[in-house]
Amino acid sequence: MVHATGVLDLSGWPDGMRVIIRKARPHPGAQLPLPMSTGLRQTAFITNSARGELADLELRHHRRARCEVSIRTAEDTGLINLPLHGFAQNQIWARGRGHRRRADRGMQILALIDNVARRWEPKRPRLCLFSIAGRIARHAR
């Protein structure tokens, strides 16, 4: 990790901003934005924390990213719009959605061991694994 605050022009930013750049090997299957000569992925983040070691700041940054991923996942499972009128009714509905998401995620982890579907976001398994093609019958034949 590199503290790059002195290298960049931060005159338009508030006082006390720090830029931290990290180089790391990309995980297998990662899409890299540009051809890299070193083969390392560079990520940067800006913080206004005056205290803290670089490793602590990076850990806090990664925890925040995981939190945002879980919020996006909750919104994808239907928690962005609550369908009922009462608070208690919506609370029960939200708990049911949470149990369903945990069951879906458990199915992905246990049943799809050597498959790329194990890491899919919630919308894709519902579309690819749980939807069944149907035909509307208008008569008995």
Side-chain angles (χ1 to χ4, degrees):
M1 282 184 289
V2 178
H3 196 264
T5 306
V7 179
L8 300 172
D9 178 27
L10 299 176
S11 59
W13 291 80
D15 292 336
M17 299 302 277
R18 295 170 32 181
V19 179
I20 299 167
I21 300 174
R22 176 179 182 259
K23 291 183 180 181
R25 296 201 183 281
H27 60 81
Q31 293 182 354
L32 302 175
L34 299 172
M36 296 184 183
S37 60
T38 61
L40 299 175
R41 169 180 271 172
Q42 298 177 1
T43 53
F45 65 95
I46 298 175
T47 183
N48 62 352
S49 295
R51 301 180 305 161
E53 297 290 323
L54 294 180
D56 296 334
L57 293 172
E58 183 192 12
L59 178 65
R60 188 176 72 189
H61 174 73
H62 279 287
R63 284 183 179 158
R64 173 68 186 202
R66 282 192 214 118
C67 177
E68 289 177 1
V69 167
S70 65
I71 290 170
R72 185 183 70 228
T73 301
E75 289 175 351
D76 287 346
T77 57
L79 290 179
I80 196 163
N81 295 320
L82 299 174
L84 304 169
H85 296 290
F87 178 78
Q89 294 169 333
N90 281 324
Q91 188 177 19
I92 293 169
W93 182 83
R95 285 202 178 164
R97 282 291 182 170
H99 291 310
R100 178 181 170 192
R101 175 63 191 139
R102 280 190 290 280
D104 289 350
R105 185 67 186 134
M107 184 274 309
Q108 282 180 287
I109 291 172
L110 295 174
L112 304 170
I113 295 172
D114 293 329
N115 196 327
V116 295
R118 186 175 188 175
R119 291 183 300 274
W120 284 351
E121 293 287 326
K123 284 184 180 180
R124 194 162 178 193
R126 283 197 311 244
L127 178 67
C128 297
L129 300 175
F130 301 140
S131 64
I132 300 171
R135 182 174 172 182
I136 298 175
R138 302 220 183 265
H139 51 82
R141 293 184 188 197

mmCIF file of all heavy atoms in Angstrom, residues 43-74:
data_model
loop_
_atom_site.group_PDB
_atom_site.id
_atom_site.type_symbol
_atom_site.label_atom_id
_atom_site.label_comp_id
_atom_site.label_asym_id
_atom_site.label_seq_id
_atom_site.Cartn_x
_atom_site.Cartn_y
_atom_site.Cartn_z
ATOM 1 N N THR A 43 -6.047 -0.426 -6.829
ATOM 2 C CA THR A 43 -7.271 0.202 -6.354
ATOM 3 C C THR A 43 -6.890 1.365 -5.462
ATOM 4 O O THR A 43 -5.907 1.300 -4.723
ATOM 5 C CB THR A 43 -8.150 -0.786 -5.563
ATOM 6 O OG1 THR A 43 -7.364 -1.373 -4.529
ATOM 7 C CG2 THR A 43 -8.692 -1.868 -6.455
ATOM 8 N N ALA A 44 -7.675 2.419 -5.547
ATOM 9 C CA ALA A 44 -7.406 3.604 -4.747
ATOM 10 C C ALA A 44 -8.677 3.996 -4.002
ATOM 11 O O ALA A 44 -9.783 3.783 -4.501
ATOM 12 C CB ALA A 44 -6.935 4.749 -5.628
ATOM 13 N N PHE A 45 -8.519 4.541 -2.833
ATOM 14 C CA PHE A 45 -9.654 5.112 -2.120
ATOM 15 C C PHE A 45 -9.199 6.352 -1.373
ATOM 16 O O PHE A 45 -8.022 6.536 -1.078
ATOM 17 C CB PHE A 45 -10.324 4.090 -1.195
ATOM 18 C CG PHE A 45 -9.491 3.596 -0.056
ATOM 19 C CD1 PHE A 45 -9.573 4.186 1.188
ATOM 20 C CD2 PHE A 45 -8.642 2.517 -0.232
ATOM 21 C CE1 PHE A 45 -8.820 3.724 2.246
ATOM 22 C CE2 PHE A 45 -7.888 2.053 0.818
ATOM 23 C CZ PHE A 45 -7.976 2.654 2.055
ATOM 24 N N ILE A 46 -10.156 7.229 -1.125
ATOM 25 C CA ILE A 46 -9.894 8.503 -0.464
ATOM 26 C C ILE A 46 -10.599 8.494 0.881
ATOM 27 O O ILE A 46 -11.739 8.051 0.987
ATOM 28 C CB ILE A 46 -10.402 9.670 -1.327
ATOM 29 C CG1 ILE A 46 -9.653 9.691 -2.655
ATOM 30 C CG2 ILE A 46 -10.235 10.985 -0.608
ATOM 31 C CD1 ILE A 46 -10.150 10.725 -3.614
ATOM 32 N N THR A 47 -9.914 8.963 1.888
ATOM 33 C CA THR A 47 -10.497 9.025 3.223
ATOM 34 C C THR A 47 -10.129 10.346 3.882
ATOM 35 O O THR A 47 -9.135 10.971 3.501
ATOM 36 C CB THR A 47 -10.021 7.846 4.094
ATOM 37 O OG1 THR A 47 -10.672 7.914 5.354
ATOM 38 C CG2 THR A 47 -8.528 7.840 4.280
ATOM 39 N N ASN A 48 -10.934 10.756 4.822
ATOM 40 C CA ASN A 48 -10.597 11.949 5.597
ATOM 41 C C ASN A 48 -10.226 11.587 7.030
ATOM 42 O O ASN A 48 -10.162 12.452 7.886
ATOM 43 C CB ASN A 48 -11.747 12.961 5.573
ATOM 44 C CG ASN A 48 -13.008 12.404 6.190
ATOM 45 O OD1 ASN A 48 -13.087 11.230 6.506
ATOM 46 N ND2 ASN A 48 -14.005 13.254 6.333
ATOM 47 N N SER A 49 -9.985 10.329 7.292
ATOM 48 C CA SER A 49 -9.575 9.892 8.631
ATOM 49 C C SER A 49 -8.149 10.353 8.889
ATOM 50 O O SER A 49 -7.233 10.033 8.127
ATOM 51 C CB SER A 49 -9.643 8.375 8.744
ATOM 52 O OG SER A 49 -10.966 7.943 8.630
ATOM 53 N N ALA A 50 -7.965 11.080 9.950
ATOM 54 C CA ALA A 50 -6.633 11.575 10.277
ATOM 55 C C ALA A 50 -5.806 10.528 11.006
ATOM 56 O O ALA A 50 -4.579 10.559 10.968
ATOM 57 C CB ALA A 50 -6.739 12.831 11.141
ATOM 58 N N ARG A 51 -6.477 9.590 11.667
ATOM 59 C CA ARG A 51 -5.776 8.568 12.433
ATOM 60 C C ARG A 51 -5.871 7.231 11.711
ATOM 61 O O ARG A 51 -6.696 7.042 10.839
ATOM 62 C CB ARG A 51 -6.394 8.415 13.815
ATOM 63 C CG ARG A 51 -6.389 9.670 14.623
ATOM 64 C CD ARG A 51 -7.009 9.447 15.972
ATOM 65 N NE ARG A 51 -8.359 8.890 15.838
ATOM 66 C CZ ARG A 51 -8.995 8.269 16.801
ATOM 67 N NH1 ARG A 51 -8.421 8.105 17.961
ATOM 68 N NH2 ARG A 51 -10.200 7.806 16.627
ATOM 69 N N GLY A 52 -5.062 6.306 12.131
ATOM 70 C CA GLY A 52 -5.168 4.941 11.644
ATOM 71 C C GLY A 52 -4.049 4.540 10.708
ATOM 72 O O GLY A 52 -3.583 5.327 9.898
ATOM 73 N N GLU A 53 -3.630 3.315 10.875
ATOM 74 C CA GLU A 53 -2.639 2.741 9.970
ATOM 75 C C GLU A 53 -3.287 2.461 8.623
ATOM 76 O O GLU A 53 -4.507 2.331 8.513
ATOM 77 C CB GLU A 53 -2.100 1.433 10.569
ATOM 78 C CG GLU A 53 -1.369 1.611 11.876
ATOM 79 C CD GLU A 53 -0.046 2.322 11.695
ATOM 80 O OE1 GLU A 53 0.629 2.086 10.669
ATOM 81 O OE2 GLU A 53 0.295 3.129 12.566
ATOM 82 N N LEU A 54 -2.477 2.328 7.591
ATOM 83 C CA LEU A 54 -3.008 2.080 6.257
ATOM 84 C C LEU A 54 -3.776 0.766 6.188
ATOM 85 O O LEU A 54 -4.825 0.678 5.552
ATOM 86 C CB LEU A 54 -1.870 2.071 5.234
ATOM 87 C CG LEU A 54 -1.146 3.400 5.026
ATOM 88 C CD1 LEU A 54 -0.046 3.238 3.991
ATOM 89 C CD2 LEU A 54 -2.101 4.482 4.630
ATOM 90 N N ALA A 55 -3.279 -0.267 6.859
ATOM 91 C CA ALA A 55 -3.963 -1.563 6.840
ATOM 92 C C ALA A 55 -5.329 -1.486 7.510
ATOM 93 O O ALA A 55 -6.298 -2.097 7.034
ATOM 94 C CB ALA A 55 -3.102 -2.620 7.525
ATOM 95 N N ASP A 56 -5.443 -0.715 8.590
ATOM 96 C CA ASP A 56 -6.735 -0.552 9.266
ATOM 97 C C ASP A 56 -7.730 0.192 8.391
ATOM 98 O O ASP A 56 -8.917 -0.146 8.340
ATOM 99 C CB ASP A 56 -6.567 0.187 10.595
ATOM 100 C CG ASP A 56 -5.724 -0.593 11.587
ATOM 101 O OD1 ASP A 56 -5.695 -1.834 11.478
ATOM 102 O OD2 ASP A 56 -5.100 0.046 12.453
ATOM 103 N N LEU A 57 -7.253 1.224 7.698
ATOM 104 C CA LEU A 57 -8.125 1.980 6.806
ATOM 105 C C LEU A 57 -8.611 1.120 5.642
ATOM 106 O O LEU A 57 -9.764 1.198 5.233
ATOM 107 C CB LEU A 57 -7.405 3.222 6.286
ATOM 108 C CG LEU A 57 -7.084 4.285 7.326
ATOM 109 C CD1 LEU A 57 -6.215 5.367 6.719
ATOM 110 C CD2 LEU A 57 -8.356 4.865 7.902
ATOM 111 N N GLU A 58 -7.717 0.290 5.116
ATOM 112 C CA GLU A 58 -8.119 -0.591 4.017
ATOM 113 C C GLU A 58 -9.137 -1.632 4.481
ATOM 114 O O GLU A 58 -10.104 -1.927 3.782
ATOM 115 C CB GLU A 58 -6.901 -1.292 3.419
ATOM 116 C CG GLU A 58 -7.275 -2.143 2.245
ATOM 117 C CD GLU A 58 -6.171 -3.051 1.816
ATOM 118 O OE1 GLU A 58 -5.178 -3.200 2.536
ATOM 119 O OE2 GLU A 58 -6.330 -3.646 0.740
ATOM 120 N N LEU A 59 -8.948 -2.174 5.665
ATOM 121 C CA LEU A 59 -9.902 -3.135 6.214
ATOM 122 C C LEU A 59 -11.279 -2.501 6.376
ATOM 123 O O LEU A 59 -12.297 -3.089 6.017
ATOM 124 C CB LEU A 59 -9.399 -3.666 7.553
ATOM 125 C CG LEU A 59 -10.317 -4.647 8.269
ATOM 126 C CD1 LEU A 59 -10.453 -5.932 7.452
ATOM 127 C CD2 LEU A 59 -9.779 -4.941 9.652
ATOM 128 N N ARG A 60 -11.321 -1.279 6.880
ATOM 129 C CA ARG A 60 -12.589 -0.572 7.015
ATOM 130 C C ARG A 60 -13.224 -0.324 5.648
ATOM 131 O O ARG A 60 -14.435 -0.463 5.468
ATOM 132 C CB ARG A 60 -12.377 0.746 7.746
ATOM 133 C CG ARG A 60 -13.687 1.428 8.093
ATOM 134 C CD ARG A 60 -13.466 2.662 8.897
ATOM 135 N NE ARG A 60 -12.913 3.683 8.026
ATOM 136 C CZ ARG A 60 -12.433 4.841 8.448
ATOM 137 N NH1 ARG A 60 -12.404 5.108 9.719
ATOM 138 N NH2 ARG A 60 -11.973 5.724 7.602
ATOM 139 N N HIS A 61 -12.418 0.003 4.652
ATOM 140 C CA HIS A 61 -12.918 0.220 3.289
ATOM 141 C C HIS A 61 -13.534 -1.060 2.725
ATOM 142 O O HIS A 61 -14.601 -1.029 2.129
ATOM 143 C CB HIS A 61 -11.768 0.711 2.411
ATOM 144 C CG HIS A 61 -12.100 0.843 0.972
ATOM 145 N ND1 HIS A 61 -12.908 1.859 0.487
ATOM 146 C CD2 HIS A 61 -11.759 0.100 -0.089
ATOM 147 C CE1 HIS A 61 -13.035 1.720 -0.809
ATOM 148 N NE2 HIS A 61 -12.345 0.665 -1.187
ATOM 149 N N HIS A 62 -12.874 -2.201 2.918
ATOM 150 C CA HIS A 62 -13.403 -3.483 2.421
ATOM 151 C C HIS A 62 -14.676 -3.886 3.153
ATOM 152 O O HIS A 62 -15.594 -4.435 2.548
ATOM 153 C CB HIS A 62 -12.349 -4.587 2.543
ATOM 154 C CG HIS A 62 -11.376 -4.565 1.423
ATOM 155 N ND1 HIS A 62 -11.690 -4.965 0.158
ATOM 156 C CD2 HIS A 62 -10.085 -4.172 1.380
ATOM 157 C CE1 HIS A 62 -10.641 -4.825 -0.627
ATOM 158 N NE2 HIS A 62 -9.651 -4.343 0.091
ATOM 159 N N ARG A 63 -14.748 -3.635 4.450
ATOM 160 C CA ARG A 63 -15.974 -3.951 5.192
ATOM 161 C C ARG A 63 -17.136 -3.119 4.683
ATOM 162 O O ARG A 63 -18.259 -3.609 4.577
ATOM 163 C CB ARG A 63 -15.760 -3.713 6.681
ATOM 164 C CG ARG A 63 -14.950 -4.777 7.337
ATOM 165 C CD ARG A 63 -14.828 -4.519 8.812
ATOM 166 N NE ARG A 63 -14.052 -5.568 9.440
ATOM 167 C CZ ARG A 63 -13.420 -5.436 10.585
ATOM 168 N NH1 ARG A 63 -13.482 -4.290 11.240
ATOM 169 N NH2 ARG A 63 -12.732 -6.428 11.088
ATOM 170 N N ARG A 64 -16.883 -1.887 4.359
ATOM 171 C CA ARG A 64 -17.936 -1.020 3.825
ATOM 172 C C ARG A 64 -18.406 -1.555 2.468
ATOM 173 O O ARG A 64 -19.604 -1.557 2.182
ATOM 174 C CB ARG A 64 -17.401 0.408 3.698
ATOM 175 C CG ARG A 64 -18.308 1.364 3.024
ATOM 176 C CD ARG A 64 -19.514 1.629 3.870
ATOM 177 N NE ARG A 64 -20.446 2.456 3.132
ATOM 178 C CZ ARG A 64 -21.358 3.182 3.674
ATOM 179 N NH1 ARG A 64 -21.487 3.203 4.981
ATOM 180 N NH2 ARG A 64 -22.156 3.900 2.952
ATOM 181 N N ALA A 65 -17.481 -2.018 1.639
ATOM 182 C CA ALA A 65 -17.854 -2.567 0.332
ATOM 183 C C ALA A 65 -18.711 -3.815 0.501
ATOM 184 O O ALA A 65 -19.695 -4.001 -0.217
ATOM 185 C CB ALA A 65 -16.597 -2.879 -0.484
ATOM 186 N N ARG A 66 -18.375 -4.683 1.445
ATOM 187 C CA ARG A 66 -19.187 -5.873 1.697
ATOM 188 C C ARG A 66 -20.575 -5.492 2.171
ATOM 189 O O ARG A 66 -21.564 -6.125 1.810
ATOM 190 C CB ARG A 66 -18.512 -6.774 2.728
ATOM 191 C CG ARG A 66 -17.403 -7.584 2.145
ATOM 192 C CD ARG A 66 -16.962 -8.665 3.122
ATOM 193 N NE ARG A 66 -15.543 -8.852 2.953
ATOM 194 C CZ ARG A 66 -14.640 -8.645 3.889
ATOM 195 N NH1 ARG A 66 -14.994 -8.268 5.083
ATOM 196 N NH2 ARG A 66 -13.371 -8.829 3.635
ATOM 197 N N CYS A 67 -20.669 -4.462 2.981
ATOM 198 C CA CYS A 67 -21.966 -3.991 3.461
ATOM 199 C C CYS A 67 -22.811 -3.491 2.291
ATOM 200 O O CYS A 67 -24.004 -3.781 2.206
ATOM 201 C CB CYS A 67 -21.753 -2.888 4.488
ATOM 202 S SG CYS A 67 -23.263 -2.151 5.094
ATOM 203 N N GLU A 68 -22.207 -2.758 1.371
ATOM 204 C CA GLU A 68 -22.949 -2.253 0.219
ATOM 205 C C GLU A 68 -23.396 -3.388 -0.696
ATOM 206 O O GLU A 68 -24.475 -3.324 -1.285
ATOM 207 C CB GLU A 68 -22.112 -1.232 -0.534
ATOM 208 C CG GLU A 68 -21.962 0.062 0.248
ATOM 209 C CD GLU A 68 -21.078 1.074 -0.432
ATOM 210 O OE1 GLU A 68 -20.582 0.790 -1.539
ATOM 211 O OE2 GLU A 68 -20.890 2.157 0.147
ATOM 212 N N VAL A 69 -22.598 -4.438 -0.816
ATOM 213 C CA VAL A 69 -23.001 -5.600 -1.610
ATOM 214 C C VAL A 69 -24.205 -6.279 -0.968
ATOM 215 O O VAL A 69 -25.147 -6.677 -1.656
ATOM 216 C CB VAL A 69 -21.825 -6.594 -1.777
ATOM 217 C CG1 VAL A 69 -22.295 -7.924 -2.311
ATOM 218 C CG2 VAL A 69 -20.786 -6.007 -2.697
ATOM 219 N N SER A 70 -24.207 -6.398 0.360
ATOM 220 C CA SER A 70 -25.349 -7.036 1.014
ATOM 221 C C SER A 70 -26.602 -6.175 0.906
ATOM 222 O O SER A 70 -27.710 -6.708 0.788
ATOM 223 C CB SER A 70 -25.028 -7.360 2.472
ATOM 224 O OG SER A 70 -24.838 -6.178 3.200
ATOM 225 N N ILE A 71 -26.459 -4.854 0.895
ATOM 226 C CA ILE A 71 -27.614 -3.977 0.695
ATOM 227 C C ILE A 71 -28.155 -4.150 -0.720
ATOM 228 O O ILE A 71 -29.363 -4.244 -0.932
ATOM 229 C CB ILE A 71 -27.240 -2.510 0.973
ATOM 230 C CG1 ILE A 71 -27.003 -2.311 2.474
ATOM 231 C CG2 ILE A 71 -28.319 -1.560 0.468
ATOM 232 C CD1 ILE A 71 -26.408 -0.975 2.829
ATOM 233 N N ARG A 72 -27.265 -4.211 -1.714
ATOM 234 C CA ARG A 72 -27.709 -4.422 -3.096
ATOM 235 C C ARG A 72 -28.411 -5.770 -3.242
ATOM 236 O O ARG A 72 -29.433 -5.880 -3.912
ATOM 237 C CB ARG A 72 -26.514 -4.340 -4.046
ATOM 238 C CG ARG A 72 -26.931 -4.427 -5.504
ATOM 239 C CD ARG A 72 -25.758 -4.412 -6.451
ATOM 240 N NE ARG A 72 -25.027 -5.652 -6.342
ATOM 241 C CZ ARG A 72 -23.716 -5.742 -6.205
ATOM 242 N NH1 ARG A 72 -22.975 -4.668 -6.144
ATOM 243 N NH2 ARG A 72 -23.125 -6.911 -6.129
ATOM 244 N N THR A 73 -27.888 -6.790 -2.588
ATOM 245 C CA THR A 73 -28.513 -8.103 -2.628
ATOM 246 C C THR A 73 -29.899 -8.067 -2.005
ATOM 247 O O THR A 73 -30.843 -8.649 -2.545
ATOM 248 C CB THR A 73 -27.629 -9.128 -1.883
ATOM 249 O OG1 THR A 73 -26.355 -9.154 -2.504
ATOM 250 C CG2 THR A 73 -28.234 -10.501 -1.915
ATOM 251 N N ALA A 74 -30.041 -7.370 -0.887
ATOM 252 C CA ALA A 74 -31.360 -7.261 -0.243
ATOM 253 C C ALA A 74 -32.346 -6.529 -1.146
ATOM 254 O O ALA A 74 -33.512 -6.917 -1.243
ATOM 255 C CB ALA A 74 -31.224 -6.542 1.095
#
